[in-house]
Amino acid sequence: MYLRLLTWNMNKGFARKSGHVTSLQPDIAILQEVRKECLHKTGLLPNAVWMGREGHHGLAAVAFGNWRINPVPIAVSENWFMPLVASNGTTSFQIVAVQVSAKGRYVPAALNAIAQLSDFIRTEPTLIAGDFNGSVKFPRKPPFGDVLAALGDLGLHSAWHGSMGEAHGQESRATYYRYLRAYEPSHIDYVFHPASLPVERITIGSFEASIKISDHAPIVVDFSV
């Protein structure tokens, strides 16, 4: 059996963009910059978990088909880290949906949240997916490599880099295009997975297709579960 996980920063306007998400046929979608009312307008709210302030853009996880997701009541002091359990009735696993938005302290925020969620991550197979706003190419202190190391200590590794055999900072596909410019690409969105949930297939949307919808490209991963 396979699980298709999608993560995509929608860059607002989700009500008119939701068809692009459903066309990718995810089982679970992790979506950033989505308003709760847009989930309601598109009929997705009953199968979604949303985090944010009413009337503002937030972080959403949406289940499709026979999959269901439920929030896990773990307090995380950093915003936009959402622990979940996904199940289809016979199989279940954990997810942490992510949108690192702590401007000026992206790496410290991620490290702090990972530390607070480490016990949760260790209990069951866990996928971590979302917009980390980080890359080893960015000259930050502490460096984004510290986030990769912290996740590695928990047995989690980037699905794209492991499947494609690419080093961090040398990606062949970007996930973000600043100001929608092809010449300003970055790889800042990730799906991290344990060895117990192997990757069968992974794709990242092209620049040409993605910029018609968002300044981020979608990552779609098929896992064997």
Side-chain angles (χ1 to χ4, degrees):
M1 178 171 55
Y2 300 102
L3 168 101
R4 174 164 291 181
L5 181 77
L6 161 71
T7 184
W8 198 355
N9 186 317
M10 302 306 300
N11 191 27
K12 308 173 184 178
F14 180 70
R16 69 177 187 275
K17 299 176 180 180
S18 63
H20 297 288
V21 170
T22 55
S23 70
L24 295 172
Q25 300 182 311
D27 295 305
I28 304 290
I30 308 301
L31 307 170
Q32 297 83 24
E33 295 194 33
V34 171
R35 291 179 185 264
K36 188 176 182 179
E37 52 264 40
C38 289
L39 293 170
H40 176 71
K41 287 179 182 178
T42 55
L44 296 175
L45 187 58
N47 295 319
V49 178
W50 183 83
M51 171 184 283
R53 273 199 303 149
E54 294 286 343
H56 295 264
H57 294 97
L59 172 64
V62 185
F64 296 86
N66 62 345
W67 285 92
R68 296 293 180 266
I69 49 175
N70 291 292
V72 179
I74 299 175
V76 181
S77 62
E78 301 292 344
N79 293 328
W80 315 117
F81 289 83
M82 187 162 63
L84 308 160
V85 171
S87 174
N88 66 354
T90 58
T91 301
S92 66
F93 59 91
Q94 301 178 159
I95 299 174
V96 178
V98 174
Q99 179 182 332
V100 183
S101 300
K103 190 172 182 179
R105 53 181 300 274
Y106 297 115
V107 171
L111 290 172
N112 192 23
I114 291 166
Q116 293 176 44
L117 288 164
S118 60
D119 288 343
F120 170 74
I121 294 167
R122 289 189 178 99
T123 57
E124 298 287 346
T126 304
L127 300 173
I128 300 183
D131 177 0
F132 278 78
N133 261 307
S135 166
V136 298
K137 295 173 70 174
F138 297 167
R140 291 176 178 163
K141 293 182 179 180
F144 186 70
D146 288 2
V147 174
L148 300 176
L151 291 171
D153 289 343
L154 294 168
L156 301 177
H157 302 279
S158 167
W160 177 262
H161 297 84
S163 297
M164 304 305 292
E166 296 181 355
H168 284 271
Q170 298 180 18
E171 298 88 0
S172 58
R173 274 289 175 95
T175 67
Y176 173 68
Y177 297 92
R178 189 169 182 238
Y179 303 128
L180 302 176
R181 295 168 175 166
Y183 59 84
E184 292 198 46
S186 300
H187 193 112
I188 63 173
D189 304 84
Y190 303 86
V191 177
F192 295 95
H193 71 110
S196 59
L197 292 173
V199 174
E200 296 294 327
R201 183 172 181 267
I202 184 167
T203 60
I204 294 178
S206 68
F207 167 77
E208 292 78 12
S210 299
I211 62 163
K212 298 175 183 177
I213 306 159
S214 173
D215 51 0
H216 289 250
I219 304 177
V220 180
V221 191
D222 292 338
F223 291 100
S224 179
V225 297

Coordinates of all heavy atoms in Angstrom, one line a residue, residues 12-16 18 33-46 48-60:
K12 N -1.2 32.0 -0.4 CA -2.5 32.7 -0.2 C -3.5 32.3 -1.4 O -3.1 31.7 -2.3 CB -2.3 34.2 0.0 CG -1.4 34.5 1.1 CD -1.1 36.0 1.1 CE 0.0 36.3 2.2 NZ 0.4 37.7 2.3
G13 N -4.7 32.8 -1.3 CA -5.7 32.6 -2.4 C -6.1 31.1 -2.6 O -6.3 30.7 -3.7
F14 N -6.1 30.4 -1.5 CA -6.3 28.9 -1.7 C -7.7 28.6 -2.3 O -7.8 27.6 -3.0 CB -6.2 28.2 -0.3 CG -6.4 26.7 -0.4 CD1 -5.5 25.9 -1.0 CD2 -7.6 26.2 0.2 CE1 -5.7 24.6 -1.1 CE2 -7.8 24.8 0.1 CZ -6.8 24.0 -0.6
A15 N -8.7 29.4 -2.0 CA -10.0 29.1 -2.5 C -10.0 28.9 -4.1 O -10.8 28.1 -4.6 CB -11.0 30.1 -2.1
R16 N -9.2 29.7 -4.8 CA -9.2 29.6 -6.2 C -8.1 28.6 -6.7 O -8.0 28.4 -7.9 CB -9.0 30.9 -6.8 CG -7.6 31.6 -6.6 CD -7.5 32.9 -7.3 NE -6.2 33.5 -7.2 CZ -5.7 34.2 -6.2 NH1 -6.5 34.5 -5.2 NH2 -4.5 34.7 -6.2
S18 N -7.4 25.5 -5.0 CA -7.6 24.1 -4.4 C -7.6 23.0 -5.5 O -7.2 21.9 -5.2 CB -8.8 24.1 -3.5 OG -10.0 24.3 -4.3
E33 N 0.1 28.9 4.4 CA -0.6 30.1 3.9 C -2.0 29.9 3.4 O -2.3 30.3 2.2 CB 0.3 30.9 2.9 CG 1.6 31.3 3.5 CD 2.4 32.3 2.7 OE1 1.7 33.1 2.0 OE2 3.6 32.3 2.7
V34 N -2.8 29.2 4.2 CA -4.2 28.9 3.8 C -5.1 29.4 4.9 O -4.9 29.2 6.1 CB -4.4 27.4 3.7 CG1 -5.8 27.0 3.5 CG2 -3.5 26.9 2.5
R35 N -6.1 30.1 4.5 CA -7.1 30.6 5.5 C -8.1 29.5 5.8 O -8.5 28.7 4.9 CB -7.9 31.8 4.9 CG -7.0 33.1 4.8 CD -7.9 34.2 4.3 NE -7.1 35.4 4.0 CZ -7.0 36.5 4.9 NH1 -7.7 36.4 6.0 NH2 -6.3 37.5 4.6
K36 N -8.6 29.5 7.0 CA -9.6 28.5 7.4 C -10.9 28.7 6.6 O -11.5 27.7 6.2 CB -9.9 28.7 8.9 CG -10.8 27.6 9.5 CD -11.0 27.8 11.0 CE -11.8 26.7 11.6 NZ -12.0 26.9 13.1
E37 N -11.3 29.9 6.3 CA -12.5 30.1 5.5 C -12.4 29.6 4.1 O -13.4 29.2 3.5 CB -12.9 31.6 5.5 CG -11.9 32.6 5.1 CD -11.1 33.2 6.3 OE1 -10.8 32.4 7.3 OE2 -10.8 34.4 6.2
C38 N -11.2 29.5 3.6 CA -10.9 29.0 2.3 C -11.1 27.4 2.3 O -11.7 26.9 1.3 CB -9.6 29.3 1.7 SG -9.4 31.1 1.3
L39 N -10.7 26.8 3.4 CA -11.0 25.4 3.5 C -12.5 25.1 3.6 O -13.0 24.2 3.0 CB -10.3 24.9 4.8 CG -8.8 24.8 4.8 CD1 -8.2 24.5 6.2 CD2 -8.2 23.8 3.8
H40 N -13.2 26.0 4.2 CA -14.6 25.9 4.3 C -15.3 26.1 2.9 O -16.1 25.3 2.5 CB -15.2 26.9 5.3 CG -16.7 26.9 5.4 ND1 -17.4 25.9 6.0 CD2 -17.6 27.8 4.9 CE1 -18.7 26.1 5.9 NE2 -18.8 27.3 5.3
K41 N -14.9 27.1 2.2 CA -15.4 27.4 0.9 C -15.2 26.2 -0.1 O -16.1 25.9 -0.9 CB -14.8 28.6 0.3 CG -15.3 29.9 0.9 CD -14.6 31.1 0.3 CE -15.0 32.4 1.0 NZ -14.2 33.6 0.4
T42 N -14.1 25.5 0.0 CA -13.8 24.4 -0.9 C -14.3 23.1 -0.4 O -14.1 22.1 -1.1 CB -12.2 24.3 -1.1 OG1 -11.6 24.2 0.2 CG2 -11.7 25.6 -1.8
G43 N -15.0 23.1 0.7 CA -15.5 21.8 1.3 C -14.5 20.9 1.9 O -14.8 19.7 2.2
L44 N -13.3 21.4 2.2 CA -12.2 20.5 2.7 C -12.1 20.6 4.2 O -11.4 19.8 4.8 CB -10.9 20.9 2.1 CG -10.8 20.7 0.6 CD1 -9.4 21.2 0.1 CD2 -10.9 19.2 0.2
L45 N -12.8 21.6 4.8 CA -12.6 21.8 6.3 C -13.0 20.6 7.1 O -12.3 20.3 8.1 CB -13.4 23.0 6.7 CG -13.2 23.4 8.2 CD1 -11.7 23.8 8.4 CD2 -14.0 24.7 8.5
P46 N -14.1 19.8 6.8 CA -14.4 18.6 7.7 C -13.3 17.6 7.8 O -13.3 16.8 8.7 CB -15.7 18.1 7.0 CG -16.3 19.2 6.3 CD -15.1 20.0 5.8
A48 N -10.0 18.4 7.6 CA -8.7 19.1 7.8 C -8.5 19.5 9.2 O -9.4 19.5 10.1 CB -8.8 20.4 7.0
V49 N -7.2 19.7 9.5 CA -6.8 20.3 10.8 C -6.1 21.6 10.5 O -5.2 21.5 9.6 CB -5.9 19.3 11.6 CG1 -5.4 20.0 12.9 CG2 -6.6 18.0 11.9
W50 N -6.5 22.6 11.1 CA -5.9 23.9 10.7 C -5.4 24.6 12.0 O -6.0 24.5 13.1 CB -7.0 24.8 10.1 CG -6.6 26.2 9.7 CD1 -6.0 26.5 8.5 CD2 -6.7 27.4 10.4 NE1 -5.8 27.8 8.4 CE2 -6.2 28.4 9.6 CE3 -7.2 27.7 11.6 CZ2 -6.2 29.8 9.9 CZ3 -7.2 29.1 12.0 CH2 -6.7 30.1 11.2
M51 N -4.3 25.3 11.8 CA -3.7 26.1 12.9 C -3.4 27.5 12.5 O -2.9 27.8 11.4 CB -2.3 25.4 13.3 CG -1.4 26.3 14.2 SD 0.2 25.5 14.5 CE -0.3 24.2 15.6
G52 N -3.9 28.5 13.3 CA -3.7 29.9 13.0 C -4.6 30.7 13.7 O -5.4 30.3 14.6
R53 N -4.6 32.0 13.3 CA -5.6 33.0 13.9 C -6.7 33.2 12.9 O -6.5 33.3 11.7 CB -4.9 34.3 14.1 CG -4.2 34.5 15.5 CD -4.0 35.9 15.8 NE -3.2 36.6 14.8 CZ -3.3 37.9 14.5 NH1 -4.2 38.7 15.2 NH2 -2.6 38.5 13.6
E54 N -8.0 33.2 13.4 CA -9.1 33.4 12.6 C -9.0 34.6 11.7 O -8.6 35.7 12.2 CB -10.4 33.5 13.4 CG -10.7 32.2 14.2 CD -11.3 31.1 13.3 OE1 -11.7 31.4 12.2 OE2 -11.3 30.0 13.7
G55 N -9.3 34.5 10.5 CA -9.2 35.6 9.5 C -7.8 35.8 9.0 O -7.6 36.7 8.1
H56 N -6.8 35.0 9.4 CA -5.5 35.1 8.9 C -5.0 33.8 8.2 O -5.7 32.8 8.4 CB -4.5 35.4 10.0 CG -4.7 36.8 10.6 ND1 -4.1 37.9 10.2 CD2 -5.6 37.2 11.6 CE1 -4.5 39.0 10.9 NE2 -5.4 38.5 11.7
H57 N -3.9 33.9 7.5 CA -3.4 32.7 6.8 C -2.7 31.8 7.9 O -2.1 32.3 8.8 CB -2.4 33.0 5.7 CG -3.1 33.7 4.6 ND1 -3.1 35.1 4.5 CD2 -3.8 33.2 3.5 CE1 -3.8 35.4 3.4 NE2 -4.2 34.3 2.8
G58 N -2.9 30.5 7.7 CA -2.4 29.5 8.7 C -1.8 28.3 8.0 O -1.6 28.2 6.8
L59 N -1.7 27.3 8.8 CA -1.1 26.0 8.4 C -2.2 24.9 8.4 O -3.0 24.8 9.4 CB 0.0 25.6 9.4 CG 0.6 24.2 9.2 CD1 1.3 24.0 7.9 CD2 1.6 24.0 10.4
A60 N -2.4 24.2 7.4 CA -3.4 23.2 7.3 C -2.9 21.8 6.9 O -1.9 21.7 6.1 CB -4.5 23.6 6.2

